PDB file of all heavy atoms in Angstrom:
ATOM      1  N   GLY Z1339      -8.023  -9.812 -19.759  1.00 98.00           N
ATOM      2  CA  GLY Z1339      -9.122  -8.869 -19.600  1.00 98.00           C
ATOM      3  C   GLY Z1339      -9.692  -8.843 -18.195  1.00 98.00           C
ATOM      4  O   GLY Z1339     -10.751  -8.289 -17.971  1.00 98.00           O
ATOM      5  N   GLN Z1340      -8.997  -9.447 -17.242  1.00 98.00           N
ATOM      6  CA  GLN Z1340      -9.493  -9.613 -15.869  1.00 98.00           C
ATOM      7  C   GLN Z1340     -10.888 -10.236 -15.880  1.00 98.00           C
ATOM      8  O   GLN Z1340     -11.749  -9.875 -15.096  1.00 98.00           O
ATOM      9  CB  GLN Z1340      -9.512  -8.279 -15.129  1.00 98.00           C
ATOM     10  CG  GLN Z1340      -8.113  -7.715 -14.855  1.00 98.00           C
ATOM     11  CD  GLN Z1340      -8.130  -6.621 -13.814  1.00 98.00           C
ATOM     12  OE1 GLN Z1340      -8.831  -5.626 -13.958  1.00 98.00           O
ATOM     13  NE2 GLN Z1340      -7.363  -6.794 -12.751  1.00 98.00           N
ATOM     14  N   LYS Z1341     -11.089 -11.145 -16.808  1.00 98.00           N
ATOM     15  CA  LYS Z1341     -12.418 -11.755 -16.938  1.00 98.00           C
ATOM     16  C   LYS Z1341     -12.554 -13.027 -16.098  1.00 98.00           C
ATOM     17  O   LYS Z1341     -13.620 -13.654 -16.051  1.00 98.00           O
ATOM     18  CB  LYS Z1341     -12.699 -12.044 -18.410  1.00 98.00           C
ATOM     19  CG  LYS Z1341     -12.921 -10.763 -19.214  1.00 98.00           C
ATOM     20  CD  LYS Z1341     -13.436 -11.117 -20.604  1.00 98.00           C
ATOM     21  CE  LYS Z1341     -13.962  -9.964 -21.420  1.00 98.00           C
ATOM     22  NZ  LYS Z1341     -13.514  -8.641 -21.200  1.00 98.00           N
ATOM     23  N   GLY Z1342     -11.448 -13.456 -15.490  1.00 98.00           N
ATOM     24  CA  GLY Z1342     -11.535 -14.593 -14.576  1.00 98.00           C
ATOM     25  C   GLY Z1342     -11.553 -15.951 -15.261  1.00 98.00           C
ATOM     26  O   GLY Z1342     -11.868 -16.956 -14.623  1.00 98.00           O
ATOM     27  N   LYS Z1343     -11.230 -15.973 -16.575  1.00 98.00           N
ATOM     28  CA  LYS Z1343     -11.361 -17.255 -17.293  1.00 98.00           C
ATOM     29  C   LYS Z1343     -10.024 -17.802 -17.781  1.00 98.00           C
ATOM     30  O   LYS Z1343      -9.638 -18.915 -17.429  1.00 98.00           O
ATOM     31  CB  LYS Z1343     -12.295 -17.070 -18.493  1.00 98.00           C
ATOM     32  CG  LYS Z1343     -13.730 -16.779 -18.060  1.00 98.00           C
ATOM     33  CD  LYS Z1343     -14.707 -16.948 -19.223  1.00 98.00           C
ATOM     34  CE  LYS Z1343     -16.140 -16.837 -18.751  1.00 98.00           C
ATOM     35  NZ  LYS Z1343     -16.729 -15.521 -19.032  1.00 98.00           N
ATOM     36  N   GLU Z1344      -9.317 -17.009 -18.595  1.00 98.00           N
ATOM     37  CA  GLU Z1344      -8.118 -17.511 -19.272  1.00 98.00           C
ATOM     38  C   GLU Z1344      -6.889 -16.863 -18.646  1.00 98.00           C
ATOM     39  O   GLU Z1344      -6.819 -15.630 -18.558  1.00 98.00           O
ATOM     40  CB  GLU Z1344      -8.230 -17.102 -20.743  1.00 98.00           C
ATOM     41  CG  GLU Z1344      -7.597 -18.061 -21.705  1.00 98.00           C
ATOM     42  CD  GLU Z1344      -7.730 -17.511 -23.129  1.00 98.00           C
ATOM     43  OE1 GLU Z1344      -8.769 -16.881 -23.428  1.00 98.00           O
ATOM     44  OE2 GLU Z1344      -6.785 -17.677 -23.892  1.00 98.00           O
ATOM     45  N   ILE Z1345      -5.911 -17.687 -18.253  1.00 98.00           N
ATOM     46  CA  ILE Z1345      -4.706 -17.142 -17.614  1.00 98.00           C
ATOM     47  C   ILE Z1345      -3.930 -16.276 -18.620  1.00 98.00           C
ATOM     48  O   ILE Z1345      -3.729 -16.679 -19.763  1.00 98.00           O
ATOM     49  CB  ILE Z1345      -3.788 -18.291 -17.127  1.00 98.00           C
ATOM     50  CG1 ILE Z1345      -4.540 -19.222 -16.164  1.00 98.00           C
ATOM     51  CG2 ILE Z1345      -2.512 -17.754 -16.493  1.00 98.00           C
ATOM     52  CD1 ILE Z1345      -4.758 -18.707 -14.781  1.00 98.00           C
ATOM     53  N   ALA Z1346      -3.507 -15.091 -18.159  1.00 98.00           N
ATOM     54  CA  ALA Z1346      -2.733 -14.183 -19.023  1.00 98.00           C
ATOM     55  C   ALA Z1346      -1.304 -14.718 -19.180  1.00 98.00           C
ATOM     56  O   ALA Z1346      -0.908 -15.667 -18.515  1.00 98.00           O
ATOM     57  CB  ALA Z1346      -2.734 -12.787 -18.405  1.00 98.00           C
ATOM     58  N   GLU Z1347      -0.531 -14.065 -20.065  1.00 98.00           N
ATOM     59  CA  GLU Z1347       0.837 -14.540 -20.345  1.00 98.00           C
ATOM     60  C   GLU Z1347       1.786 -14.152 -19.217  1.00 98.00           C
ATOM     61  O   GLU Z1347       2.505 -13.157 -19.302  1.00 98.00           O
ATOM     62  CB  GLU Z1347       1.354 -13.910 -21.639  1.00 98.00           C
ATOM     63  CG  GLU Z1347       0.547 -14.191 -22.873  1.00 98.00           C
ATOM     64  CD  GLU Z1347       0.975 -13.274 -24.008  1.00 98.00           C
ATOM     65  OE1 GLU Z1347       2.100 -13.401 -24.504  1.00 98.00           O
ATOM     66  OE2 GLU Z1347       0.181 -12.383 -24.365  1.00 98.00           O
ATOM     67  N   MET Z1348       1.796 -14.950 -18.181  1.00 98.00           N
ATOM     68  CA  MET Z1348       2.536 -14.575 -16.972  1.00 98.00           C
ATOM     69  C   MET Z1348       4.044 -14.487 -17.201  1.00 98.00           C
ATOM     70  O   MET Z1348       4.684 -13.525 -16.778  1.00 98.00           O
ATOM     71  CB  MET Z1348       2.249 -15.569 -15.861  1.00 98.00           C
ATOM     72  CG  MET Z1348       0.858 -15.437 -15.285  1.00 98.00           C
ATOM     73  SD  MET Z1348       0.668 -16.580 -13.901  1.00 98.00           S
ATOM     74  CE  MET Z1348      -0.965 -16.149 -13.361  1.00 98.00           C
ATOM     75  N   GLY Z1349       4.599 -15.486 -17.847  1.00 98.00           N
ATOM     76  CA  GLY Z1349       6.059 -15.508 -18.038  1.00 98.00           C
ATOM     77  C   GLY Z1349       6.539 -14.279 -18.801  1.00 98.00           C
ATOM     78  O   GLY Z1349       7.489 -13.605 -18.389  1.00 98.00           O
ATOM     79  N   ALA Z1350       5.837 -13.959 -19.901  1.00 98.00           N
ATOM     80  CA  ALA Z1350       6.234 -12.818 -20.730  1.00 98.00           C
ATOM     81  C   ALA Z1350       6.042 -11.505 -19.974  1.00 98.00           C
ATOM     82  O   ALA Z1350       6.850 -10.579 -20.095  1.00 98.00           O
ATOM     83  CB  ALA Z1350       5.421 -12.813 -22.017  1.00 98.00           C
ATOM     84  N   MET Z1351       4.997 -11.439 -19.175  1.00 98.00           N
ATOM     85  CA  MET Z1351       4.779 -10.209 -18.391  1.00 98.00           C
ATOM     86  C   MET Z1351       5.864 -10.046 -17.330  1.00 98.00           C
ATOM     87  O   MET Z1351       6.350  -8.948 -17.085  1.00 98.00           O
ATOM     88  CB  MET Z1351       3.396 -10.226 -17.731  1.00 98.00           C
ATOM     89  CG  MET Z1351       2.270  -9.908 -18.702  1.00 98.00           C
ATOM     90  SD  MET Z1351       0.733  -9.476 -17.842  1.00 98.00           S
ATOM     91  CE  MET Z1351       0.151 -11.080 -17.348  1.00 98.00           C
ATOM     92  N   LYS Z1352       6.245 -11.164 -16.724  1.00 98.00           N
ATOM     93  CA  LYS Z1352       7.321 -11.086 -15.730  1.00 98.00           C
ATOM     94  C   LYS Z1352       8.606 -10.599 -16.400  1.00 98.00           C
ATOM     95  O   LYS Z1352       9.326  -9.748 -15.857  1.00 98.00           O
ATOM     96  CB  LYS Z1352       7.547 -12.454 -15.070  1.00 98.00           C
ATOM     97  CG  LYS Z1352       8.508 -12.343 -13.893  1.00 98.00           C
ATOM     98  CD  LYS Z1352       9.042 -13.671 -13.393  1.00 98.00           C
ATOM     99  CE  LYS Z1352      10.091 -13.428 -12.322  1.00 98.00           C
ATOM    100  NZ  LYS Z1352      10.833 -14.638 -11.964  1.00 98.00           N
ATOM    101  N   SER Z1353       8.896 -11.094 -17.592  1.00 98.00           N
ATOM    102  CA  SER Z1353      10.111 -10.682 -18.303  1.00 98.00           C
ATOM    103  C   SER Z1353      10.120  -9.176 -18.580  1.00 98.00           C
ATOM    104  O   SER Z1353      11.164  -8.554 -18.630  1.00 98.00           O
ATOM    105  CB  SER Z1353      10.235 -11.408 -19.643  1.00 98.00           C
ATOM    106  OG  SER Z1353      10.247 -12.788 -19.427  1.00 98.00           O
ATOM    107  N   GLU Z1354       8.927  -8.594 -18.752  1.00 98.00           N
ATOM    108  CA  GLU Z1354       8.855  -7.147 -19.022  1.00 98.00           C
ATOM    109  C   GLU Z1354       8.851  -6.315 -17.740  1.00 98.00           C
ATOM    110  O   GLU Z1354       8.894  -5.091 -17.798  1.00 98.00           O
ATOM    111  CB  GLU Z1354       7.597  -6.821 -19.837  1.00 98.00           C
ATOM    112  CG  GLU Z1354       7.609  -7.368 -21.246  1.00 98.00           C
ATOM    113  CD  GLU Z1354       8.677  -6.731 -22.139  1.00 98.00           C
ATOM    114  OE1 GLU Z1354       9.192  -5.648 -21.798  1.00 98.00           O
ATOM    115  OE2 GLU Z1354       9.003  -7.341 -23.172  1.00 98.00           O
ATOM    116  N   GLY Z1355       8.750  -6.966 -16.585  1.00 98.00           N
ATOM    117  CA  GLY Z1355       8.840  -6.201 -15.337  1.00 98.00           C
ATOM    118  C   GLY Z1355       7.673  -6.339 -14.374  1.00 98.00           C
ATOM    119  O   GLY Z1355       7.631  -5.645 -13.358  1.00 98.00           O
ATOM    120  N   ALA Z1356       6.711  -7.224 -14.668  1.00 98.00           N
ATOM    121  CA  ALA Z1356       5.614  -7.435 -13.710  1.00 98.00           C
ATOM    122  C   ALA Z1356       6.178  -8.101 -12.447  1.00 98.00           C
ATOM    123  O   ALA Z1356       6.981  -9.028 -12.544  1.00 98.00           O
ATOM    124  CB  ALA Z1356       4.530  -8.319 -14.322  1.00 98.00           C
ATOM    125  N   VAL Z1357       5.784  -7.594 -11.288  1.00 98.00           N
ATOM    126  CA  VAL Z1357       6.360  -8.105 -10.031  1.00 98.00           C
ATOM    127  C   VAL Z1357       5.426  -9.062  -9.290  1.00 98.00           C
ATOM    128  O   VAL Z1357       5.829  -9.709  -8.332  1.00 98.00           O
ATOM    129  CB  VAL Z1357       6.772  -6.949  -9.091  1.00 98.00           C
ATOM    130  CG1 VAL Z1357       7.953  -6.190  -9.673  1.00 98.00           C
ATOM    131  CG2 VAL Z1357       5.605  -6.013  -8.809  1.00 98.00           C
ATOM    132  N   ALA Z1358       4.146  -9.099  -9.706  1.00 98.00           N
ATOM    133  CA  ALA Z1358       3.156  -9.998  -9.099  1.00 98.00           C
ATOM    134  C   ALA Z1358       1.980 -10.043 -10.065  1.00 98.00           C
ATOM    135  O   ALA Z1358       1.972  -9.314 -11.067  1.00 98.00           O
ATOM    136  CB  ALA Z1358       2.703  -9.467  -7.738  1.00 98.00           C
ATOM    137  N   PHE Z1359       1.008 -10.903  -9.749  1.00 98.00           N
ATOM    138  CA  PHE Z1359      -0.189 -10.970 -10.580  1.00 98.00           C
ATOM    139  C   PHE Z1359      -1.437 -10.843  -9.722  1.00 98.00           C
ATOM    140  O   PHE Z1359      -1.511 -11.420  -8.639  1.00 98.00           O
ATOM    141  CB  PHE Z1359      -0.233 -12.282 -11.375  1.00 98.00           C
ATOM    142  CG  PHE Z1359       0.910 -12.405 -12.332  1.00 98.00           C
ATOM    143  CD1 PHE Z1359       1.909 -13.343 -12.119  1.00 98.00           C
ATOM    144  CD2 PHE Z1359       1.014 -11.554 -13.422  1.00 98.00           C
ATOM    145  CE1 PHE Z1359       2.984 -13.438 -12.986  1.00 98.00           C
ATOM    146  CE2 PHE Z1359       2.092 -11.633 -14.287  1.00 98.00           C
ATOM    147  CZ  PHE Z1359       3.086 -12.573 -14.075  1.00 98.00           C
ATOM    148  N   SER Z1360      -2.397 -10.073 -10.233  1.00 98.00           N
ATOM    149  CA  SER Z1360      -3.632  -9.843  -9.495  1.00 98.00           C
ATOM    150  C   SER Z1360      -4.731  -9.410 -10.448  1.00 98.00           C
ATOM    151  O   SER Z1360      -4.456  -8.703 -11.422  1.00 98.00           O
ATOM    152  CB  SER Z1360      -3.417  -8.748  -8.444  1.00 98.00           C
ATOM    153  OG  SER Z1360      -4.615  -8.506  -7.751  1.00 98.00           O
ATOM    154  N   ASP Z1361      -5.960  -9.820 -10.167  1.00 98.00           N
ATOM    155  CA  ASP Z1361      -7.113  -9.247 -10.874  1.00 98.00           C
ATOM    156  C   ASP Z1361      -7.797  -8.231  -9.962  1.00 98.00           C
ATOM    157  O   ASP Z1361      -8.995  -7.987 -10.075  1.00 98.00           O
ATOM    158  CB  ASP Z1361      -8.110 -10.356 -11.279  1.00 98.00           C
ATOM    159  CG  ASP Z1361      -7.700 -11.042 -12.586  1.00 98.00           C
ATOM    160  OD1 ASP Z1361      -6.704 -10.612 -13.202  1.00 98.00           O
ATOM    161  OD2 ASP Z1361      -8.372 -12.012 -12.992  1.00 98.00           O
ATOM    162  N   ASP Z1362      -7.035  -7.627  -9.060  1.00 98.00           N
ATOM    163  CA  ASP Z1362      -7.603  -6.781  -7.999  1.00 98.00           C
ATOM    164  C   ASP Z1362      -8.702  -5.858  -8.511  1.00 98.00           C
ATOM    165  O   ASP Z1362      -8.629  -5.308  -9.602  1.00 98.00           O
ATOM    166  CB  ASP Z1362      -6.514  -5.942  -7.328  1.00 98.00           C
ATOM    167  CG  ASP Z1362      -7.052  -5.237  -6.094  1.00 98.00           C
ATOM    168  OD1 ASP Z1362      -7.727  -5.893  -5.295  1.00 98.00           O
ATOM    169  OD2 ASP Z1362      -6.827  -4.019  -5.942  1.00 98.00           O
ATOM    170  N   GLY Z1363      -9.668  -5.670  -7.642  1.00 95.00           N
ATOM    171  CA  GLY Z1363     -10.877  -4.966  -8.019  1.00 95.00           C
ATOM    172  C   GLY Z1363     -11.949  -6.009  -8.260  1.00 95.00           C
ATOM    173  O   GLY Z1363     -13.082  -5.884  -7.814  1.00 95.00           O
ATOM    174  N   ILE Z1364     -11.540  -7.085  -8.945  1.00 97.00           N
ATOM    175  CA  ILE Z1364     -12.461  -8.187  -9.212  1.00 97.00           C
ATOM    176  C   ILE Z1364     -11.918  -9.441  -8.530  1.00 97.00           C
ATOM    177  O   ILE Z1364     -10.797  -9.855  -8.800  1.00 97.00           O
ATOM    178  CB  ILE Z1364     -12.572  -8.449 -10.728  1.00 97.00           C
ATOM    179  CG1 ILE Z1364     -12.935  -7.156 -11.467  1.00 97.00           C
ATOM    180  CG2 ILE Z1364     -13.565  -9.566 -11.015  1.00 97.00           C
ATOM    181  CD1 ILE Z1364     -12.693  -7.218 -12.954  1.00 97.00           C
ATOM    182  N   PRO Z1365     -12.709 -10.038  -7.628  1.00 98.00           N
ATOM    183  CA  PRO Z1365     -12.247 -11.292  -7.015  1.00 98.00           C
ATOM    184  C   PRO Z1365     -12.199 -12.411  -8.060  1.00 98.00           C
ATOM    185  O   PRO Z1365     -13.072 -12.480  -8.922  1.00 98.00           O
ATOM    186  CB  PRO Z1365     -13.317 -11.581  -5.963  1.00 98.00           C
ATOM    187  CG  PRO Z1365     -14.052 -10.288  -5.771  1.00 98.00           C
ATOM    188  CD  PRO Z1365     -13.986  -9.575  -7.073  1.00 98.00           C
TER     189      PRO Z1365
END
Side-chain angles (χ1 to χ4, degrees):
Q1340 292 196 304
K1341 290 190 168 26
K1343 293 194 173 101
E1344 212 182 324
I1345 303 284
E1347 301 167 67
M1348 288 184 176
M1351 283 196 283
K1352 189 194 174 191
S1353 302
E1354 293 294 342
V1357 292
F1359 297 111
S1360 179
D1361 277 356
D1362 189 47
I1364 307 164

